[in-house]
Amino acid sequence: NAGVMQNPRHLVRRRGQEARLRCSPMKGHSHVYWYRQLPEEGLKFMVYLQKENIIDESGMPKERFSAEFPKEGPSILRIQQVVRGDSAAYFCASSPSLQTQYFGPGTRLLVL
Amino acid sequence: AQTVTQSQPEMSVQEAETVTLSCTYDTSESDYYLFWYKQPPSRQMILVIRQEAYKQQNATENRFSVNFQKAAKSFSLKISDSQLGDAAMYFCAYRGPSMDSNYQLIWGAGTKLIIKP
């Protein structure tokens, strides 16, 4: 049973470009969570999704950020018009229900 | 609001010895979950151990065990027979009761563990 998959592992973007981060949950997991980690800090919750539904996006900036978890395919975290402050590690986690969250390897986003 | 505090930014231990990482939290709930995650240099976030607050018995996973003091709201991690591969950032995390509104993990700032050969 493969773990949570995230791609790309590293992403470099110039200011103003778009960043798309993908997350494939573990098989059988219908709950997906996105977290952001700034250097030398713990993780901060961004958004929680179940299949085709955003349950809670209270941790996500109101502008430029969006997330989806379609019926088919991976969950996508999309950042439009990236700025330097978006540089961080973005982690996806999945769970089969409201239980232990299992994390992917993360995507390191660097905005030049 | 719930908070998680890790007061040790960095700890070091000699290989094969025992080290304890501290974590305290604040909550008004009586039923909740606590976790220790490990983040090695690869930056992967790996679950180390989990504790349900309703269980009085401390969780144990091989060389890793916790000292869960519910009244004191303390959740320390003990690593026995430290190995070089244990070197990592260790994060303590809290999650509320199993209700639809409680799914966020609340994280501490982390403790960097250094293993001296």
Side-chain angles (χ1 to χ4, degrees), chain A residues 12 16 19 27 42 50 52 54 56 58-60 62 66-67 78-79 82 84 89-90 101 107:
Chain A
V12 179
K27 187 175 181 180
Q50 293 182 29
E52 299 185 273
I54 296 174
D56 181 2
S58 61
M60 203 153 66
K62 294 288 186 284
S66 62
R78 183 181 177 206
I79 313 172
V82 296
R84 287 212 174 112
Y90 292 83
Q101 296 176 21
T107 294

Side-chain angles (χ1 to χ4, degrees), chain B residues 5-112:
Chain B
T5 302
Q6 293 179 250
S7 59
Q8 307 154 316
E10 185 174 297
M11 291 282 285
S12 62
V13 63
Q14 205 71 37
E15 191 177 4
E17 294 188 346
T18 295
V19 63
T20 298
L21 309 183
S22 65
C23 172
T24 59
Y25 57 94
D26 189 24
T27 183
S28 58
E29 303 287 351
S30 59
D31 184 25
Y32 46 86
Y33 302 82
L34 296 163
F35 307 84
W36 278 98
Y37 282 88
K38 166 186 176 181
Q39 188 177 41
S42 67
R43 306 302 298 275
Q44 172 88 42
M45 195 66 75
I46 302 166
L47 176 67
V48 175
I49 202 164
R50 157 192 161 125
Q51 175 82 43
E52 291 90 342
Y54 65 85
K55 290 185 178 179
Q56 294 187 343
Q57 187 173 8
N58 289 325
T60 298
E61 288 287 340
N62 300 313
R63 298 183 294 108
F64 298 86
S65 61
V66 298
N67 184 6
F68 174 47
Q69 302 289 327
K70 191 172 184 179
K73 297 180 182 174
S74 170
F75 182 61
S76 60
L77 174 69
K78 186 172 87 170
I79 306 174
S80 304
D81 185 26
S82 299
Q83 300 176 1
L84 294 177
D86 295 334
M89 284 290 290
Y90 285 81
F91 291 95
C92 178
Y94 163 99
R95 208 204 81 209
S98 288
M99 298 163 51
D100 285 346
S101 59
N102 292 310
Y103 39 76
Q104 292 186 32
L105 286 172
I106 310 297
W107 297 78
T111 296
K112 183 177 182 180

